[in-house]
Amino acid sequence: MQALARRAGYAALVIFAAFAMHNLNGALIEPRYLGFGSYADYADLGKLMNASRATPWLLSGLGHVATGFAMVILGLGVHARYREPRPAAAQIALAAAILAATGFLLTGISHVIGRQTLFLLSDANPGLQESAYMAATVVRIWVNGLAQKGLGWVAVQLSWLGWKTGTRHRAFVLFGFLSGAAGLLMAVAYIPVYLFTVLVWSLWLAVVWGRA
């Protein structure tokens, strides 16, 4: 179980790499090369159709798949490390990680194999192309919301465990609560602050995880 706990740090690095790709897309590639100059452009189906065929979006999809698997390892690692001092909280953290993993895997599947199916169907039925892309986009937002809320819950739970057991620095605990809140915010509003907070939180977690 200790070996599993140690591997949680590597899982955090995978999450960091995936969110680095998401941030690169959102901050540079999408506005500069895919035509998303403002938030309103994401409602333009023509731009969404074009972007969905771009390689950076495929890479983001693969990042979601990798994050889904990493969340399972992270959840198991957190449970292994904290199950003795805080068994109930450790079980809750594991459940939250499985919830996040489900959301990330569904988002990734919709980005990878789902996009291939979408291309085939929309190309064969051009009259239904816009409807197909709109439906796919709505579903993707739903499952991504599930992923971010699950990840936010994990961050909050891990901060609580670190605080109660004295195994995490206060600054990391506070930032974990902040990052978790940004993910949980997706339950009521689409405000993608989590893109930046998770990037910092996951790298910070990878660095400090072995120091407990």
Side-chain angles (χ1 to χ4, degrees):
M1 296 300 288
Q2 290 303 316
L4 180 60
R6 288 194 296 270
R7 288 186 175 88
Y10 297 111
L13 278 178
V14 171
I15 296 169
F16 167 76
F19 272 82
M21 184 66 222
H22 303 329
N23 275 276
L24 180 63
N25 272 340
L28 177 64
I29 296 175
E30 290 173 8
R32 180 168 295 185
Y33 301 106
L34 298 180
F36 295 101
S38 66
Y39 184 72
D41 288 331
Y42 287 92
D44 187 325
L45 285 176
K47 292 181 179 180
L48 287 174
M49 292 179 198
N50 178 61
S52 66
R53 295 177 184 264
T55 300
W57 272 33
L58 174 60
L59 294 176
S60 267
L62 293 173
H64 284 304
V65 173
T67 302
F69 289 118
M71 287 305 305
V72 175
I73 302 301
L74 178 60
L76 289 170
V78 171
H79 180 263
R81 176 157 291 178
Y82 290 104
R83 64 176 183 162
E84 291 186 6
R86 296 284 175 172
Q91 288 180 338
I92 293 172
L94 176 57
I98 297 301
L99 183 70
T102 301
F104 278 113
L105 286 171
L106 288 173
T107 305
I109 289 169
S110 72
H111 263 283
V112 183
I113 188 63
R115 73 197 283 270
Q116 298 175 24
T117 305
L118 179 61
F119 297 161
L120 288 172
L121 291 174
S122 61
D123 291 346
N125 303 275
L128 299 175
Q129 193 173 62
E130 290 191 355
S131 299
Y133 275 89
M134 182 175 291
T137 300
V138 170
V139 171
R140 190 172 297 155
I141 290 172
W142 288 349
V143 293
N144 184 54
L146 173 65
Q148 303 310 328
K149 288 192 286 289
L151 178 55
W153 190 5
V154 170
V156 168
Q157 200 69 19
L158 181 55
S159 287
W160 191 90
L161 284 164
W163 173 40
K164 288 297 183 180
T165 59
T167 55
R168 300 294 164 210
H169 192 274
R170 182 178 180 182
F172 177 78
V173 168
L174 292 175
F175 190 82
F177 281 127
L178 173 65
S179 182
L184 293 172
L185 181 64
M186 289 283 286
V188 294
Y190 186 74
I191 303 176
V193 179
Y194 68 86
L195 281 170
F196 309 104
T197 61
V198 173
L199 185 70
V200 175
W201 175 82
S202 57
L203 181 59
W204 198 347
L205 176 60
V207 171
V208 305
W209 181 253
R211 299 179 183 176

